[in-house]
Amino acid sequence: GQSLEQPSEVTAVEGAIVQINCTYQTSGFYGLSWYQQHDGGAPTFLSYNGLDGLEETGRFSSFLSRSDSYGYLLLQELQMKDSASYFCAVRDRGSGYSTLTFGKGTMLLVSP
Amino acid sequence: KAGVTQTPRYLIKTRGQQVTLSCSPISGHRSVSWYQQTPGQGLQFLFEYFSETQRNKGNFPGRFSGRQFSNSRSEMNVSTLELGDSALYLCASFPTGMNTEAFFGQGTRLTVV
């Protein structure tokens, strides 16, 4: 099976940079994704790493190292609206085509 | 383009009852997955459907079932409800072909009393 570990909570101040780590144990997967979920809302897609390295999308960047079974989401120039839960997820090979396994989520609290 | 629509948004049921939740994926998306979200367990995979066929099932008891119709709309059913079934049930749709992004609905908040 798949297993993803991420910190339960991270706090930061506006304008700062924060990194949310995700370590995983999986027999094989297509790539690592990140989703954002505001309280009571739908998870929304942020980023995907199919290959090792850094992917940048505006203020958000994501990194994957398959050799280290490790990835992270980097949020820069934090804003209050970034306060939300962030989930890493993998779509593993061999199971259903669109089955995602999620970490338990990291709650990011951004303070003024 | 309309997003993923889940109905109802909120539901209160008593123990022992059954419930049916509905999900309409984005037009053109043929793959639908369901997830249960609880504070302690995060998002846990329930089922995956593609072209009316269940392709994968998560580790849930047989009280949880689902189906997909020819128009890609999907339903999930929970019978003999238990208090522990209280959760946010999320539906996600995927476009055909290898893709990296899941589109989630707002979910159905089920409370079992």
Side-chain angles (χ1 to χ4, degrees):
Chain A
Q2 319 294 339
S3 172
L4 297 96
E5 298 289 331
Q6 49 181 131
S8 59
E9 188 175 303
V10 173
T11 59
V13 297
E14 268 188 303
I17 299 172
V18 71
Q19 179 173 311
I20 299 173
N21 298 323
C22 175
T23 57
Y24 59 84
Q25 290 185 329
T26 174
S27 54
F29 67 103
Y30 290 111
L32 185 70
S33 301
W34 290 90
Y35 288 81
Q36 177 193 60
Q37 185 182 33
H38 286 97
D39 193 30
T44 55
F45 174 81
L46 287 177
S47 183
Y48 173 78
N49 292 78
L51 301 173
D52 283 7
L54 190 69
E55 293 286 338
E56 296 179 88
T57 309
R59 294 187 297 114
F60 295 172
S61 303
S62 59
F63 174 83
L64 174 65
S65 169
R66 289 177 184 263
S67 60
D68 295 322
S69 297
Y70 164 75
Y72 66 73
L73 179 69
L74 190 74
L75 297 87
Q76 303 181 72
E77 300 173 17
L78 281 173
Q79 302 175 10
M80 296 293 289
K81 67 178 181 179
D82 297 327
S83 291
S85 291
Y86 293 83
F87 297 87
C88 57
V90 295
R91 181 181 303 176
D92 63 329
R93 298 180 189 274
S95 71
Y97 181 77
S98 51
T99 300
L100 290 169
T101 301
F102 287 86
K104 292 192 175 180
T106 299
M107 184 177 293
L108 170 63
L109 302 172
V110 181
S111 57
Chain B
K1 186 186 259 191
V4 178
T5 304
Q6 291 188 246
T7 57
R9 288 292 311 278
Y10 302 92
L11 206 50
I12 300 175
K13 290 286 190 177
T14 57
R15 280 184 301 175
Q17 287 187 311
Q18 74 166 16
V19 66
T20 299
L21 312 182
S22 179
C23 170
S24 294
I26 292 172
S27 177
H29 289 194
R30 292 161 60 189
S31 179
V32 173
S33 296
W34 289 88
Y35 295 83
Q36 181 195 64
Q37 186 174 28
T38 56
Q41 296 299 318
L43 287 104
Q44 291 188 289
F45 169 73
L46 282 158
F47 324 98
E48 176 195 330
Y49 289 92
F50 181 80
S51 292
E52 302 179 66
T53 300
Q54 185 180 93
R55 290 202 293 199
N56 199 12
K57 188 177 192 298
N59 188 25
F60 280 82
R63 301 184 296 106
F64 291 80
S65 62
R67 59 179 175 169
Q68 187 180 33
F69 302 95
S70 58
N71 62 357
S72 295
R73 190 177 70 85
S74 178
E75 289 182 346
M76 66 163 284
N77 183 278
V78 188
S79 62
T80 320
L81 284 166
E82 299 177 0
L83 295 179
D85 297 333
S86 295
L88 179 67
Y89 290 88
L90 291 160
C91 168
S93 78
F94 297 78
T96 303
M98 182 57 67
N99 189 274
T100 60
E101 179 176 355
F103 296 83
F104 282 87
Q106 292 288 331
T108 294
R109 173 75 63 185
L110 172 64
T111 302
V112 182
V113 297

